[in-house]
Amino acid sequence: MEQLSLEKSVNTLAGKLSYNISYAKAATRAGKYDSILEGQHPDITLVTCSDSRVLERALDDEIGKVFSIKNIGNRVEPNLGSIEYGVGHLHTPILMILGHTGCGAIHASTRDVSGEHYRIIRSLEFIKPTVAEVQKLLIKKGGIAVYMADHPPWVKPVSEEAYFETLVTEANVDRQVEAVLNDDKIRELVYTGKLMVVGAIYDFKDIYSPEKGAVFVININGETDVEKLKRLNVLSSDGKVILDKIKRLLVY
Ligand SMILES: [Zn+2]
């Protein structure tokens, strides 16, 4: 046995299983699974990044409430089957595409990734057109420095690089919302009022607010205009909490 080379893996697995022993004991004692033994009843289908800092429990820590799909860069296309299961079979009224600040996939996509493994390149390729789209938009608007002066981050100044990556992160979420709305079955659910597709950003880099792990809405059913979003009829009654969470940097 190659014990030496496996040492780290064995220690890690032992650590995770020890944690799990305590977890399962506590969960059983507290009856955390009792109401969901026969089936799951999540109320949100979530597509987000695999990044270990992006946590479902930032939205809901109750077991069985978040139907979660993760991949690098929160892509829709490779997981349309899982998304369809969440909205079509589990009938969640919300499908959220959640990007995040400080995303490694976005960062890598703004650079040369030709040295990466081909599967990683393939996973990142989908962001490249969005990088170009944001660059072209900024050219039209007078360049990134001019744009940043007009739309500063809310909390503290950030580098042009971090700012640009945040714009690409928002644009990528918008493109993923478009991608789900291009799916016939999902579009029908939205069209008939059974489903709302929400584009959002999870921020722990103090760009949108100083609260780490805060989630902000940037897109609802394809609408990206903040003023229009705030006027949506559907948000007028119970929507105050939503209104306060609508915030975005990228204006088309
Ligand atoms: Zn990420």
Side-chain angles (χ1 to χ4, degrees):
M1 258 317 250
E2 298 162 41
Q3 284 193 342
L4 259 183
S5 63
L6 282 173
E7 197 177 346
K8 197 175 174 190
S9 305
V10 169
N11 288 344
T12 303
L13 179 60
K16 298 301 175 205
L17 292 179
S18 299
Y19 173 86
N20 179 254
I21 289 167
S22 325
Y23 165 81
K25 237 181 227 160
T28 306
R29 208 177 306 128
K32 292 223 178 221
Y33 289 85
D34 291 356
S35 65
I36 48 169
L37 289 177
E38 302 308 322
Q40 55 171 330
H41 304 286
D43 50 19
I44 178 166
T45 298
L46 180 70
V47 180
T48 191
C49 186
S50 299
D51 192 304
S52 54
R53 299 165 293 182
V54 181
L55 306 174
E56 296 158 18
R57 65 172 182 267
L59 289 167
D60 196 329
D61 71 352
E62 194 181 325
I63 298 165
K65 293 311 250 183
V66 182
F67 185 74
S68 176
I69 299 146
K70 284 188 148 200
N71 60 53
I72 54 169
N74 36 271
R75 289 163 299 148
V76 157
E77 195 277 325
N79 293 105
L80 270 170
S82 303
I83 295 168
E84 176 56 41
Y85 190 82
V87 300
H89 287 273
L90 300 173
H91 309 293
T92 67
I94 297 289
L95 165 58
M96 180 181 280
I97 316 293
L98 183 63
H100 69 100
T101 50
C103 182
I106 300 289
H107 177 77
S109 302
T110 63
R111 287 165 168 67
D112 178 19
V113 290
S114 56
E116 293 287 351
H117 188 279
Y118 77 96
R119 286 192 200 280
I120 293 181
I121 293 175
R122 211 185 288 159
S123 290
L124 296 177
E125 250 170 11
F126 80 106
I127 310 177
K128 289 273 185 194
T130 308
V131 173
E133 180 200 332
V134 174
Q135 280 174 333
K136 284 190 275 185
L137 188 76
L138 289 173
I139 290 169
K140 266 204 283 185
K141 291 183 185 267
I144 188 162
V146 171
Y147 190 86
M148 276 178 83
D150 284 347
H151 308 84
W154 288 272
V155 185
K156 61 183 184 195
V158 296
S159 67
E160 283 189 5
E161 185 188 42
Y163 189 92
F164 178 70
E165 287 175 13
T166 306
L167 295 180
V168 176
T169 300
E170 287 189 2
N172 177 45
V173 168
D174 293 336
R175 295 298 81 74
Q176 304 311 307
V177 170
E178 277 172 22
V180 289
L181 290 174
N182 279 333
D183 180 88
D184 291 348
K185 287 188 81 176
I186 295 173
R187 192 171 61 251
E188 179 68 18
L189 289 171
V190 176
Y191 187 70
T192 53
K194 296 185 181 81
L195 175 69
M196 185 190 268
V197 180
V198 179
I201 302 289
Y202 174 102
D203 180 31
F204 51 83
K205 289 278 193 180
D206 296 352
I207 290 180
Y208 298 78
S209 89
E211 311 292 340
K212 301 203 171 34
V215 170
F216 294 93
V217 171
I218 65 161
N219 184 321
I220 295 179
N221 290 345
E223 180 58 67
T224 60
D225 185 306
V226 166
E227 292 315 311
K228 283 187 188 166
L229 281 174
K230 290 190 172 182
R231 286 200 301 269
L232 282 180
N233 279 337
V234 71
L235 301 185
S236 57
S237 50
D238 293 331
K240 176 77 172 72
V241 64
I242 305 174
L243 288 180
D244 293 342
K245 283 288 210 165
I246 296 174
K247 228 176 195 186
R248 60 178 291 146
L249 282 172
L250 181 65
V251 180
Y252 291 104

